[in-house]
Amino acid sequence: MSKARKIYKTEDGGIVYGVMAEFDTPADLFHAAERVRDAGYSRWDVYSPFPVHGMEEAMGLKNTKLPLLTGIVGLSGAGLGYLFQWWVTTRGYATIVQGKPFDTFQPWVPVTFEIGVLFTAFCALLGMFAFNALPMWYHPLLKKDRFLRVSDDRFVICIEAADPKFDPDRTRELLEKLHGKHFDFVEE
Amino acid sequence: MSAMHPDEITAGRLTGALVPDRPLTMDPQTGDGTLIDDPSKRAPLVLNNRSFHDITEIVCGYCEQRPGGWWLPVFGLVSMLAGIGTLMILYLLVTGVGVWGLNNQVDWAWDITNFVFWIGIGHAGTLISAILCLLKQKWRTSINRAAEAMTIFAVICAGTFPGIHVGRIWMIWMVFPIPNANAIWPNFRSPLLWDVFAVSTYFTVSLLFWYMGMIPDFATLRDRAAMRLKKATGPTVAPFINIRQDQLRAWIYGLLSMGWRFSTRHWQNYEKAYIMLAGVSTPLVLSVHSIVSFDFATSILPGWHTTIFPPYFVAGAIFGGFAMVLGLMIPARELYPNMKELITLRHLENMAKIILVTGSMVGFAYAMEFFIAWYSANSYEADVFMYNRLMPPWFAEMLGLERSAPYWWAYWAMISCNVLSPQLFWMKRFRTSPLWIFIVSMAVTVGMWFERFVIIVTSLHRAFLPGEWGMFFPTAVDIFTFIGTVGIFVTLFMLFLRFLPAFAMSEIKNVMPQASPHPDHH
């Protein structure tokens, strides 16, 4: 970290994780996200019970590198699968089967394909966890009762205190202007 | 349908304009309101103007509240069948495959028939979750979770049979790619080894796909349990054990949800991962049944040795799988509250149409087998189709032929169930009636079992040399093992409906009209 983070405390003395505000509809959430993005915040997030269409652009998120990683891992898996069959059939213990030559690629296609798919699937799921820093069974937000309703029908924006532009009063004012409701400080 | 603001729905509730538990009104033209023929109008995917919260309540209700009084007797019956099946497998393992009706000529019979039958059932789940996802078919959201669950359970039943059909069960490790005591490896030129890879990959990938889809819904169940826990009382897991049921739910669903917190930064990776899983599952599902068909097609046995097998098997698998999805979901829709609002008549109609299409493809394949048997001028191939499958004895007698097909009834059961019965769905009256769809689905399920029986047993029982001809008759162990796997399948499915989120809540919410961030312009 280049700059020491400024610590904010609530009246009870808890360290502030961020400020959260609720929104009623995906449309309100979407427009609010666009404004928070334009205000230049970087450490903030939008929480919704389902992925709201186009929200990545509204938040100004960059494309994820997950497909690239998964593609590389999937192709490597297929390559390894092919190499394994080649080694077994021509080097490990070459056995004459039906008088066919040892080194033929055609019968190895199905298994090569299946192993490629297997690696891709594992990489997609585990890569998703890794990129999202999951599993994380503890999180300050999950202590908030109002936040738990995101998993049902609420829409929440939370701006973190770790954001360089965070200021308890001004950040709250911004969210207020965007028709946010039920402001609350989230304690770490 | 116009997009309704959640506040409008709440306001409508308060003024009495929208009743939360209104029974569905049936209209002779549009059924429950979804059978709209006008392509300019979009049929609603969820009925009764439900809010997001209603969806959460309905779906979580299935696993949080006790099901009706029917549940325990039905569950008792199917789990008893599962128990019988398990005992039959145990008996087979301690005695040997001689307890089945197999013989030297028909050395694959019900075991592999059941294997292909169950693995085919699974294919509809992947088709709905992966292929319809790539094709952006929004109606899939109502049935994808249940269909994926069905896939997993069907593959479990399928995988049992190749496992137990080997004579020396202690040698089953030889199917895995590890060298044996003489350092010889399995033969990678054999479709049977490809099958091991295909089926195990299919099971693993389907499981990952299913689990990943459930993560947000697990989080919803976790959060609901956590919120209830803060209230003073609630039922405990058992008398005198002071752990509340909601505590258990919060732990288990919490663990499974991996701490999911519905963040958009997470959703972004999640959606990408989901679409990639759908992308690889699509060729995977096509490959699995193609490879299963290679088990037969690469041999030289007449009746097996055909290049049409891969597409024909895949179409048949999707056909049989959709029939099973309908066979499970139509009764569930009647038995569980509000399920008819999520699985509308249009959903059923769509699936009936897929049954009609795939059924006709299968019918085309049956016809093509005959055409090729004649066109190839291969007398063995022609003999198989005429005298192993087609010819009933009374008809042969009428024509003055000396030979007839002993298993003709299996062939004709297959034709009438698979080719003729789905043709009812050309008529709207039949494909929009849940009862008729259920009847046809059951017929198709039976027909698809017979298809595999016809392919496997009738091809084997009369091969090239008349001297080695024989018949196959199932023993009681054969029959009860199969019934047992039906029990295992339904038991697992009922447990799924009881304890896991049976509908993809986050996906259903996403296709509801009020989910659009731009409600004003469509």
Side-chain angles (χ1 to χ4, degrees), chain A residues 25 27 30 42 44-48 50 62 64 88 93 101-102 107 114 132 135-137 139 145 151-153, chain B residues 5 53 56 182-183 185 189 194 220 223 230 254 258-259 261-269 284 287 509:
Chain A
T25 63
F30 189 87
S42 54
W44 62 294
D45 212 336
V46 173
Y47 300 88
S48 54
F50 50 84
K62 279 189 217 131
T64 164
V88 163
Y93 198 132
F102 296 126
E114 301 297 335
N132 291 345
M136 188 188 283
W137 285 291
H139 195 273
D145 268 6
S151 63
D152 180 4
D153 62 349
Chain B
H5 193 284
H53 179 64
T56 315
N182 294 329
W185 291 74
R189 289 195 178 84
W194 304 346
T220 301
D223 290 351
K230 294 189 178 154
M258 295 279 170
R261 52 180 192 272
F262 297 89
S263 139
T264 298
R265 290 171 200 272
H266 291 182
W267 278 125
Q268 190 194 17
N269 287 316
L284 176 67
S287 83
K509 288 173 189 170

Side-chain angles (χ1 to χ4, degrees), chain B residues 78-79 81-83 85-86 89 118 153 156-157 160 481-495:
Chain B
V78 294
S79 53
L81 294 180
T86 314
I89 292 171
W118 281 119
F153 306 146
I156 289 173
C157 292
T160 308
T481 309
F482 176 59
I483 294 175
T485 53
V486 177
I488 292 170
F489 178 73
V490 182
T491 303
L492 289 171
F493 195 77
M494 286 183 76
L495 288 173

